Amino acid sequence: MKGTFIISIDFEIRWGVMDTKSLSNYGENLRGVRQAIPGMLALFEKYDFKVTFATVGMLFYGDKKSLLEHLPVRLPSYQNVGLNPYLDIENIIGEDEASDPYHYGKSLLESIIKTKQHEVGSHTFCHYYCLEKGQTIFEFEQDLAAFQRAATTLGQTPVSLVFPRNQLRYNYLKSLKKFGYTNYRGNEKSWLFKPRIKSEISLWRRSLRFLDAYFNLTGHHLSDEAEIASEFPFNIRSSRFLRPYLAIFPFLEPFKISRIKKSMDLAAETGKLYHLWWHPHNFGTNTQKNLDQLESILIHYSKLKKDYGITNHTMGSYAQHLNETYYEQPINRQGTGTETSSSAA
């Protein structure tokens, strides 16, 4: 069995950081998305590599009027109201993408779709937090419905979902099946990456996650294809978050890239899956340094493809591969059909 390399990119601009970072201290990163995405697309084309852009649904609209007309019927009722992007929506966004580079992304999405190479997946409509207190599964489903409406404006039918802040909630997976999702990105198999709300992630845990990006503390987090195929929707787990270039500690950067490449090597040698992810705004500063590191990773992938035949998939195309390989009858977008694998159950 050949190994697989998947990249997913959480495209959110300010909707993903509005409760944690201000425009004054993070605006440069968010504006830099306008250069980072074209740079990434150019590299992916150069190395014939396809990825999943898990996109916040609000970014599908190019102006305030359209966005306000397509909000969910029921908004999330977080106990922590600071998490709710809808409360100040009239005040925090400009009238359109030309006047506000932080909250609109339609033109960038159009450039992604135009390549006909990449997958546009879901990062929920509003960057919805499934583990936060107060919100309900009904509100989550209203968010998914709003995302579907947004996606159709650009002709997209999403089958892949990435939970914002990796707040995977297992009893919400039935909602994914209901809305036609075939797969999602789960967390690494380690206590260090167990799904938690942001306020429960201690400084100690954050420090260990940081160190793990440079030094192998928790393993390579490769996934076995048959294990993924045994449950539906398919859990296409994360292996590694690609941390942005750290200008204050540049001596650490070779360790980070070496850690990633060693995991890629092992995936290729053992026929396992390696799944790397990041945000465009991580490349928003030190953009060329980050793009250079990405190119180094893609060059390494090309070598492994030649030497071992490692394959590249989007999350959606990998789910389709699993469906065709392990299931006697196709699983449709509502999750029906023969959902017991003849070879993986």
Side-chain angles (χ1 to χ4, degrees), residues 146-286:
F147 183 92
Q148 281 194 330
R149 292 192 295 271
T152 59
T153 65
L154 293 181
Q156 301 301 297
T157 306
V159 298
S160 307
L161 184 136
V162 171
F163 288 90
R165 302 227 169 118
N166 298 308
Q167 288 190 14
L168 168 59
R169 188 164 188 158
Y170 289 98
N171 64 323
Y172 279 27
L173 294 180
K174 59 186 177 182
S175 298
L176 301 195
K177 294 173 70 172
K178 181 177 178 180
F179 282 84
Y181 290 95
T182 62
N183 70 94
Y184 63 96
R185 190 183 74 207
N187 298 21
E188 296 93 317
K189 281 187 176 180
S190 168
W191 65 271
L192 192 58
F193 299 99
K194 182 180 178 180
R196 294 172 178 268
I197 63 174
K198 190 173 181 64
S199 61
E200 292 178 352
I201 302 176
S202 66
L203 177 61
W204 170 246
R205 188 178 296 265
R206 289 198 299 272
S207 299
L208 287 177
R209 287 183 181 181
F210 173 82
L211 290 173
D212 188 49
Y214 303 91
F215 308 101
N216 190 350
L217 303 183
T218 65
H220 295 281
H221 302 294
L222 307 181
S223 297
D224 180 77
E225 183 176 284
E227 181 183 355
I228 300 171
S230 66
E231 296 183 355
F232 186 85
F234 303 122
N235 180 3
I236 304 176
R237 292 182 182 275
S238 163
S239 302
R240 178 68 44 209
F241 169 57
L242 174 59
R243 288 187 172 270
Y245 180 83
L246 199 59
I248 58 172
F249 298 125
F251 64 90
L252 286 175
E253 294 305 301
F255 294 98
K256 178 184 73 178
I257 300 304
S258 175
R259 175 132 162 72
I260 290 170
K261 289 180 179 179
K262 286 179 180 177
S263 296
M264 292 171 64
D265 290 343
L266 190 60
E269 292 165 3
T270 61
K272 299 288 182 71
L273 166 70
Y274 185 70
H275 188 170
L276 186 68
W277 69 278
W278 67 89
H279 311 89
H281 57 73
N282 297 137
F283 282 28
T285 56
N286 300 304

Side-chain angles (χ1 to χ4, degrees), residues 38-57:
M40 288 188 284
L41 292 178
L43 288 176
F44 294 140
E45 181 179 11
K46 179 178 179 179
Y47 293 96
D48 190 24
F49 197 93
K50 54 191 176 183
V51 308
T52 295
F53 282 88
T55 305
V56 167

Side-chain angles (χ1 to χ4, degrees), residues 57-75 86 89 106 125-126 142-153:
M58 287 178 164
L59 298 178
F60 281 85
Y61 298 106
D63 60 79
K64 181 190 289 190
K65 181 176 183 295
S66 299
L67 177 57
L68 292 176
E69 288 174 351
H70 294 90
L71 300 185
V73 175
R74 178 76 172 267
L75 305 181
Y86 299 108
I89 198 168
K106 185 177 180 180
F125 185 75
C126 74
Q142 291 302 304
D143 182 277
L144 295 182
F147 183 92
Q148 281 194 330
R149 292 192 295 271
T152 59
T153 65

